[in-house]
Amino acid sequence: MPKHFRPAGKKKEGNAAKYITRTKAVNYLQVSLAIFRKLCILKGVFPRQPKKKVEGNHKTYYHMKDIAFLAHDPLIEKFRQIKVHRKKVKKAIAKKNRDLADRLLNRPPTYKLDRLVLERYPTFVDALRDLDDCLTMVHLFAALPAVDGERIEVKRIHNCRRLSHEWQAYISRTHALRKTFISVKGIYYQAEVQGQKITWLTPHALQQVLTDDVDFNVMLSFLEFYETLLGFVNFKLYHSINVNYPPILDPRLEALAAELYALCRYMSTGSGRVIGNSESGGVNEKESGAIKENEDGNNKASAKTDESELRLAQLQHQLPSNEPGALMHLVEESTAVDTDDDETKECKSLFKNLKFYLSREVPRESLLFIIPAFGGTVSWEGEGAPFNEIDEDITHQIVDRPTQSHVFLSREYVQPQWVFDCVNARIILPTDGYLVGRVPPPHLSPFVDNDAEGYIPEYAETIKRLQAAARNEVLPLPGDEDLDNSLVAAMMDRTESNETAEKKRKLEMLEKQYHDELKMEIDGVTFSKLSNEKPDKSQDTMDKDDAKSDHEDEKKQAEKDNDDISTALMSRRKRGLYKAMEIGRERKQDKVELLKKRKKNADSSASAKRR
């Protein structure tokens, strides 16, 4: 009898009962493969790897309980209704019944995913923990071109852009941003929200091209759920800081593609609460009368025009005037209790009292997000900016061009990398290395632990010394512009100090040898006697060196024997893990040696060029 033989009528047991293949699951649910894939994405069901694959290794397996979970979901019935609706539309068009087809197209079956968000994330912290992929996907689609006729609807791209800006405005308002890094893929951000570290990636502000290598149907299924999830998260976060959601933005700023600035300005006013509640006191009589006069005067206008007028009236009540310096300022007279931790206070005051101006060639959106998140004030070149380039209070101008034609002596011109490096170092770095036209220092990743990797870059050590100096409150003297450079130069590198000590020791040995030879010459020691004594001494020295080397070899052999004994006593699985660990250490050491070699070659080539 075969090992897996099951008599007819006997119930399945073991893996055969626990798991089901994808083909059988699709037949069980009576849906197409595309709908099954979409259901699994929305419900969070993923394939499993059973220990014993009953029907072969080449098939995909799902847990039977997950498939039963999908079968009882109301969403599957909605998908069936959508399929029937498409058939009706197709049939009406085939019969050339255009009226029926239009009526059917105007009333398609719809569904919401609100219930799935609560089902998959019982608590708000669970949703925050799973927000990394959500933010990356939403920011990716927000950067795609919004063109009619493409595979992605324009309203989906606009919705993603709105959600991403709302998230960035909250992070900037609460000063929750912690790390940034510019890579080839895009710009990495890490924020800390309610004790949870959230990392996401935003693409560079370049023209994106939709390729045929990507299955956008699968990505749009993920995006459909992520849009709902991020909407709920933004709603919860905005209400946690007493701001109304969704926010009402200035239409003029929206038309100028300055949504992020409009959001930050809306949140910074502190008047984002609902107008009709008891705390805000409602709209005053003059403004309500103005609204009524506008409504009476435009009775013949469309509903959209009335709605826009109402929004403008609300904005006049809620938003302050666009005077210079009013950009993204927090409400200092807020009555809320200050519950910021030390790290948040440090981030909040990094760019305090600094005023930035962005030239037109720099990445505007990322800097509009980062600078206010660390307490700075920022403007840009273009319409809707809070202040112009000729403002005398500007302390730093961000420029990304080889030369700068007109220069204001009251401000510093730096490259965009200076802002990112200051954020990661949490100090204001010297601007000498980031001036216009210079090659900036290496951009170090804050997500890499240099101590664990075993290699610390030279610029990382320089930043550590500057951080230590900042903690000791080493303040610049009046009129001393090169204090930072002198501070860095005064702190000698460890390797240089070791080399200096070694040279000093060798010079002392040579000096001692010279004095000994002079003493022997004074004492009348001849060269023949000295040559006869030297072989004996050299023989003794060689014997001592041989004994020392033999002792070292014995010690190494003993260590190797101990390792072999301990390895022999291990089980096969632990021995494999130990070998894998040894291979990982060797690879890490080889990588460190390669980096040191490259650094040495770069230094030698740089010194050769200087000559």
Side-chain angles (χ1 to χ4, degrees):
M1 181 180 294
K3 185 176 180 181
H4 300 294
F5 175 75
R6 180 174 61 85
K10 187 177 179 181
K11 190 177 180 181
K12 290 184 179 179
E13 296 176 354
N15 288 339
K18 288 181 181 179
Y19 299 96
I20 185 173
T21 61
R22 189 179 67 177
T23 305
K24 289 185 177 181
V26 170
N27 294 334
Y28 177 78
L29 296 175
Q30 297 181 359
V31 294
S32 63
L33 182 59
I35 294 178
F36 174 76
R37 189 181 289 119
K38 188 172 184 177
L39 268 173
C40 291
I41 291 171
L42 296 177
K43 296 286 287 183
V45 175
F46 50 88
R48 305 298 182 105
Q49 292 292 334
K51 292 183 179 179
K52 186 181 293 183
K53 298 183 178 180
V54 182
E55 299 194 20
N57 296 327
H58 60 285
K59 293 189 177 182
T60 306
Y61 291 85
Y62 289 86
H63 208 286
M64 194 62 202
K65 287 186 177 180
D66 293 339
I67 302 303
F69 185 52
L70 293 178
H72 293 87
D73 195 273
L75 203 59
I76 194 170
E77 186 62 30
K78 281 290 182 182
F79 287 149
R80 287 170 181 158
Q81 291 177 9
I82 292 172
K83 185 178 179 181
V84 172
H85 175 266
R86 288 175 181 170
K87 286 185 177 180
K88 288 182 179 179
V89 172
K90 188 177 179 181
K91 186 176 180 181
I93 293 174
K95 289 185 175 182
K96 298 182 180 180
N97 191 350
R98 196 65 207 177
D99 295 337
L100 178 59
D102 291 340
R103 287 199 303 270
L104 290 172
L105 288 172
N106 291 330
R107 295 183 299 171
T110 58
Y111 59 91
K112 292 185 178 181
L113 304 178
D114 304 349
R115 176 182 51 83
L116 295 184
V117 175
L118 182 60
E119 200 175 84
R120 292 180 61 174
Y121 306 107
T123 62
F124 184 62
V125 176
D126 296 332
L128 291 177
R129 287 172 184 163
D130 202 24
L131 210 60
D132 295 359
D133 294 337
C134 171
L135 288 171
T136 303
M137 182 76 74
V138 170
H139 281 84
L140 172 63
F141 276 85
L144 294 180
V147 181
D148 290 326
E150 292 285 350
R151 283 168 285 183
I152 303 171
E153 297 178 359
V154 175
K155 63 178 182 180
R156 299 288 295 273
I157 296 175
H158 287 324
N159 189 35
C160 290
R161 188 173 179 82
R162 177 184 62 83
L163 290 171
S164 62
H165 284 157
E166 288 171 358
W167 167 261
Q168 291 180 6
Y170 170 81
I171 296 298
S172 179
R173 167 67 175 83
T174 56
H175 308 283
L177 192 62
R178 295 293 177 263
K179 296 178 182 179
T180 61
F181 179 65
I182 306 173
S183 70
V184 178
K185 295 181 181 178
I187 303 176
Y188 285 90
Y189 300 101
Q190 186 179 88
E192 188 173 353
V193 180
Q194 297 188 7
Q196 304 298 322
K197 291 185 178 179
I198 303 169
T199 307
W200 72 96
L201 173 66
T202 63
H204 292 292
L206 302 173
Q207 182 66 32
Q208 306 292 333
V209 180
L210 304 182
T211 62
D212 297 330
D213 301 334
V214 181
D215 190 356
F216 283 97
N217 293 326
V218 176
M219 295 185 69
L220 288 173
S221 299
F222 278 104
L223 182 66
E224 186 177 358
F225 177 76
Y226 286 155
E227 284 178 323
T228 308
L229 172 61
L230 189 55
F232 272 98
V233 170
N234 288 343
F235 173 83
K236 179 73 174 176
L237 292 176
Y238 272 56
H239 278 257
S240 67
I241 57 174
N242 297 326
V243 177
N244 189 23
Y245 187 86
I248 302 173
L249 303 184
D250 190 346
R252 185 175 64 88
L253 292 175
E254 285 187 272
L256 295 172
E259 297 95 340
L260 182 58
Y261 166 61
L263 274 165
C264 293
R265 185 179 160 191
Y266 167 80
M267 296 175 68
S268 65
T269 57
S271 60
R273 298 162 184 80
V274 183
I275 296 177
N277 62 11
S278 59
E279 294 180 2
S280 61
V283 185
N284 58 30
E285 295 179 359
K286 292 183 180 180
E287 289 172 339
S288 62
I291 295 173
K292 289 180 181 178
E293 289 177 4
N294 289 334
E295 290 178 352
D296 294 335
N298 297 325
N299 286 331
K300 297 181 181 180
S302 63
K304 293 183 179 179
T305 307
D306 294 339
E307 185 180 356
S308 63
E309 293 292 335
L310 180 61
R311 288 183 64 195
L312 285 173
Q314 291 173 346
L315 282 166
Q316 290 175 2
H317 171 73
Q318 290 183 354
L319 298 179
S321 59
N322 191 16
E323 70 272 5
L327 169 65
M328 303 177 192
H329 282 176
L330 304 180
V331 187
E332 296 179 358
E333 59 273 7
S334 177
T335 57
V337 181
D338 187 11
T339 58
D340 295 340
D341 55 358
D342 295 337
E343 193 174 11
T344 304
K345 291 178 181 178
E346 182 184 6
C347 296
K348 188 176 180 179
S349 61
L350 179 62
F351 293 144
K352 190 177 181 181
N353 300 327
L354 296 182
K355 210 168 184 179
F356 295 85
Y357 186 81
L358 309 180
S359 298
R360 64 177 181 271
E361 72 275 359
V362 302
R364 191 176 80 179
E365 283 201 1
S366 62
L367 292 174
L368 279 177
F369 170 46
I370 293 172
I371 293 174
F374 288 86
T377 306
V378 63
S379 181
W380 63 91
E381 184 176 349
E383 297 183 12
F387 51 87
N388 296 325
E389 187 179 3
I390 60 175
D391 193 338
E392 296 181 356
D393 295 333
I394 297 174
T395 58
H396 295 81
Q397 183 164 345
I398 313 299
V399 181
D400 195 9
R401 61 183 71 170
T403 57
Q404 178 69 17
S405 57
H406 56 283
V407 177
F408 293 89
L409 299 178
S410 60
R411 68 186 68 167
E412 297 188 49
Y413 292 83
V414 293
Q415 301 181 36
Q417 184 185 328
W418 179 80
V419 177
F420 291 86
D421 289 347
C422 288
V423 166
N424 295 330
R426 303 287 176 84
I427 58 172
I428 302 298
L429 295 173
T431 58
D432 295 339
Y434 301 90
L435 295 179
V436 179
R438 292 189 180 180
V439 178
H443 184 49
L444 304 177
S445 173
F447 300 98
V448 177
D449 188 359
N450 295 323
D451 296 331
E453 292 293 328
Y455 176 75
I456 302 177
E458 183 180 355
Y459 191 60
E461 294 181 353
T462 305
I463 291 176
K464 281 185 178 180
R465 290 195 293 268
L466 292 173
Q467 288 172 342
R471 284 194 296 269
N472 293 331
E473 298 182 358
V474 179
L475 300 178
L477 297 175
D480 190 0
E481 299 177 355
D482 298 330
L483 177 64
D484 296 324
N485 295 334
S486 61
L487 181 65
V488 174
M491 298 180 179
M492 188 177 297
D493 191 48
R494 188 183 306 169
T495 56
E496 294 179 1
S497 61
N498 293 337
E499 291 177 359
T500 306
E502 184 68 20
K503 290 179 180 179
K504 186 177 180 181
R505 188 177 64 83
K506 288 181 179 180
L507 287 174
E508 289 177 355
M509 289 177 62
L510 291 172
E511 186 178 0
K512 185 179 179 182
Q513 183 181 357
Y514 175 71
H515 286 299
D516 292 342
E517 289 177 354
L518 282 177
K519 187 178 180 181
M520 285 188 292
E521 186 177 353
I522 292 171
D523 293 341
V525 179
T526 60
F527 181 75
S528 59
K529 290 182 180 180
L530 188 62
S531 60
N532 291 333
E533 291 177 359
K534 276 186 178 180
D536 298 336
K537 290 183 180 179
S538 61
Q539 186 67 30
D540 295 339
T541 307
M542 289 176 63
D543 293 340
K544 289 180 181 178
D545 293 341
D546 293 340
K548 189 176 181 180
S549 61
D550 292 341
H551 181 68
E552 291 179 356
D553 293 340
E554 289 178 0
K555 189 176 180 181
K556 290 181 180 178
Q557 185 65 31
E559 291 178 356
K560 186 179 179 182
D561 293 341
N562 291 332
D563 292 340
D564 293 340
I565 292 171
S566 60
T567 306
L569 295 175
M570 292 180 184
S571 63
R572 182 180 296 178
R573 184 179 179 182
K574 291 183 179 179
R575 195 183 305 124
L577 290 174
Y578 180 75
K579 288 182 179 179
M581 290 170 60
E582 291 293 331
I583 292 172
R585 289 173 188 168
E586 290 176 0
R587 287 178 180 173
K588 186 183 289 187
Q589 188 64 28
D590 294 341
K591 187 178 179 181
V592 170
E593 294 296 332
L594 180 62
L595 290 173
K596 290 181 179 179
K597 186 178 179 181
R598 288 179 179 174
K599 177 68 172 60
K600 188 176 180 180
N601 294 336
D603 292 342
S604 60
S605 62
S607 61
K609 286 181 180 179
R610 291 189 193 120
R611 292 174 187 174

